[in-house]
Structures are given as structure tokens and as C-alpha cells.
Amino acid sequence: MAKLSRWETWGSRSLRLAIALYAFGVVGFPLLALLRAAWLQPAENLRNLLTQELAIAAFQLSLTAAFGAAIFNTILGLLLAWILVRYQFPGKRLADALIDLPFALSGVVAGIALFSLYGPNGTIAQFWQPGTFLGQLLTRFGIEDFNFTASQLGVIFAMVYVTLPFVVRTVQPVLAELEPEIEEVAATLGATPSQTFWRVLFPQLIPALVTGFSLALARGLGEYGLVTIISGNLPYKTLVATVYVYQRFEEFDISGATAVSLVLLIVSLLLLAVTNSLGLWFRFSHKY
């Protein structure tokens, strides 16, 4: 084994030091500070803060909206990844680049753009205004003066927008690495295209889909900027947990903000643990 030079050794140590500083300074210490603030709170106080009706409603909306957006994006992300990998069409590079748009575009900017489209006086919202066909259809179902940007559907839509790239970029490289010979062998043995997909290809995509789903769910739970603009932040209706935390800070209720933030942190850590466990289980079960 070749001996590392002095510069290579220095570079390796500097890289490890930079990683350690990032891990502890950017991630570790803030988390420890949050845990310490929660530890200093009396248990009864934390229980009372977390059992408030507004806090419970915000938690329920965040979980249900993030879960629904993650399921939708898992299906849509698989479809988009399949199209980008398996088909050639004009504008493919542009479509591939647009997938990463939520990563590059600020949530506030995206929220303003979407509000201008789907807001009460938006370009697209005019199609369901009273007097239009969709407006009359909504009225028949008892929905009058429908405002997409101040509804739970708008919250889910916002989470779908910000979490879609996590699924696509997780599934796409796995799908690209699948050997085409596997499909050819399956076809030679008499398998139909649907049988080849569900019995040969899909099992190999399960770890990537689970990872993408978990990342999308965790990202949806932590979304703030876009949801703040597009949801209207109506208490007991469109107020999500992250906005609730910010409102507690605005009212100098540090204890309430800490309690809700702690729950969000625990849920995110559980999601990461479940994702890693499922990935290890799948690799182990298919290795032997």
C-alpha cells in the first residue's frame, strides 16, 4: 500500500475536520440546544403545550398533507423517472432540468408565482369562479366561493411542488442502472411487459421508492415558505405546524415553539431511522 504524502495527509485531515465542524456546528449543536431547551421545561408544561387544540390541528394537517403529498409524488416521481430514463423526446433536457426547479427557486418566490396563478384573482382561478362551469359544479357539491390558495388542497399542492424532486432524483439513477438484459431474458421466458415490470423491475426499485417517499414526507413536514403564502394560515383549517412554530415565536412563546419543534424533530428522526432500517432489511433479504 502506497504511503500518503504530507499534502495528501493534510488534505485528508482537513476534510475530516471540515465534516466534523459541519456535523457539530451546523447540525449537532442546534439540535442539542433544542433538546436542552425542551429538557429544561417541566413535563407537565410540555404536555399542556402539545395538547392545545390549535397545536393538535396543526400537527394533524401537517402529517396528513405531507403523507398525501409523499404518496402522490412517489407514484408521479416513478412515472417521471421512467419517462426521463426510457424515452427520448424533444425538450428532454429542459424537462429534466425543470425537475430541480424547486431546489433552486426560493419558496417565497414560488409561493408568489403560484398565488398569481391559483389565487382568488389568478389566471387559472378564473376557471372555477362563480358563473363558470366548474364554479357551478362546485356549488352543487355545497362549495361556494372556492379559494384554492386558502384550502387544505392548496397545502397538499404546495408540498407536492417542493417534494417531487426528492422522489425523481432518488429513483432515476437506480432505474438508469438496471441492465436491459434482464428485461430481454424475461421476455424470452414469455413474460409480458406488465409482468416484467411488477415481478422483475419493481422489486429492485422498492428501496429507492421508500427512500424517496421518506425524504418527501420529511421535507413536507418541514416546509414553511411556500405553505405560508399559499395556504392562508387559517387556524384549524390551513395552519401547519411549521407556521404554528413561527407564530409562537412572534408572540414570544418560546416554550410553545420549542415543544412543537421537538415533536417535528422526533418525527423526522423516526422517518430517517425507518428508512435506513427498511433499506438494510431489503439489502439483507435479497443478498441471501
Side-chain angles (χ1 to χ4, degrees):
M1 182 176 180
K3 185 177 181 180
L4 295 177
S5 65
R6 183 177 65 179
W7 291 107
E8 290 174 331
T9 303
W10 180 85
S12 176
R13 291 177 179 175
S14 300
L15 180 60
R16 283 181 289 180
L17 178 61
I19 294 175
L21 289 175
Y22 172 81
F24 288 99
V26 180
V27 179
F29 288 147
L31 294 182
L32 290 176
L34 176 62
L35 293 175
R36 180 178 179 275
W39 178 263
L40 295 176
Q41 294 289 332
E44 186 66 25
N45 188 25
L46 286 177
R47 189 181 304 110
N48 293 333
L49 292 171
L50 294 176
T51 53
Q52 293 181 1
E53 293 184 2
L54 185 57
I56 294 176
F59 277 129
Q60 290 177 343
L61 177 58
S62 294
L63 288 173
T64 53
F67 190 79
I71 292 179
F72 179 82
N73 277 341
T74 300
I75 301 173
L76 180 60
L78 175 60
L79 179 61
L80 291 177
W82 183 275
I83 294 174
L84 292 174
V85 172
R86 295 302 181 97
Y87 297 98
Q88 297 294 332
F89 53 89
K92 178 180 177 180
R93 291 187 177 181
L94 177 61
D96 194 21
L98 289 177
I99 296 294
D100 295 327
L101 185 61
F103 287 150
L105 192 62
S106 170
V108 176
V109 177
I112 295 175
L114 293 175
F115 189 85
S116 65
L117 290 175
Y118 300 100
N121 299 318
T123 305
I124 298 178
Q126 62 181 342
F127 293 105
W128 57 67
Q129 294 296 329
T132 62
F133 173 76
L134 289 178
Q136 295 176 357
L137 185 62
L138 291 173
T139 303
R140 292 182 179 179
F141 286 95
I143 303 176
E144 298 181 358
D145 297 330
F146 176 70
N147 185 1
F148 179 80
T149 56
S151 64
Q152 295 182 359
L153 184 61
V155 175
I156 298 176
F157 178 78
M159 293 183 179
V160 166
Y161 172 83
V162 298
T163 60
L164 179 61
F166 289 93
V167 181
V168 177
R169 296 312 184 203
T170 304
V171 177
Q172 188 175 1
V174 178
L175 190 59
E177 292 178 358
L178 294 179
E179 299 178 356
E181 290 80 5
I182 298 178
E183 300 178 56
E184 296 175 359
V185 171
T188 302
L189 295 176
T192 62
S194 61
Q195 291 175 333
T196 301
F197 175 79
W198 290 110
R199 298 185 181 182
V200 179
L201 300 179
F202 185 74
Q204 302 183 63
L205 298 175
I206 291 178
L209 289 172
V210 172
T211 301
F213 172 83
S214 301
L215 291 175
L217 180 58
R219 179 66 180 85
L221 286 174
E223 174 55 24
Y224 172 77
L226 180 56
V227 173
T228 303
I229 295 177
I230 203 172
S231 68
N233 306 319
L234 303 177
Y236 302 102
K237 185 178 180 182
T238 62
L239 181 66
V240 296
T242 50
V243 179
Y244 177 81
V245 170
Y246 181 73
Q247 290 182 352
R248 295 298 92 199
F249 270 110
E250 281 189 324
E251 298 177 5
F252 299 99
D253 183 10
I254 307 301
S255 299
T258 301
V260 178
S261 299
L262 181 63
V263 174
L264 292 176
L265 173 62
I266 293 174
V267 172
S268 299
L269 292 177
L270 287 176
L271 287 175
L272 292 177
V274 170
T275 301
N276 293 331
S277 300
L278 289 176
L280 291 174
W281 172 81
F282 186 85
R283 293 189 186 95
F284 182 81
S285 61
H286 283 73
K287 184 177 180 180
Y288 299 99

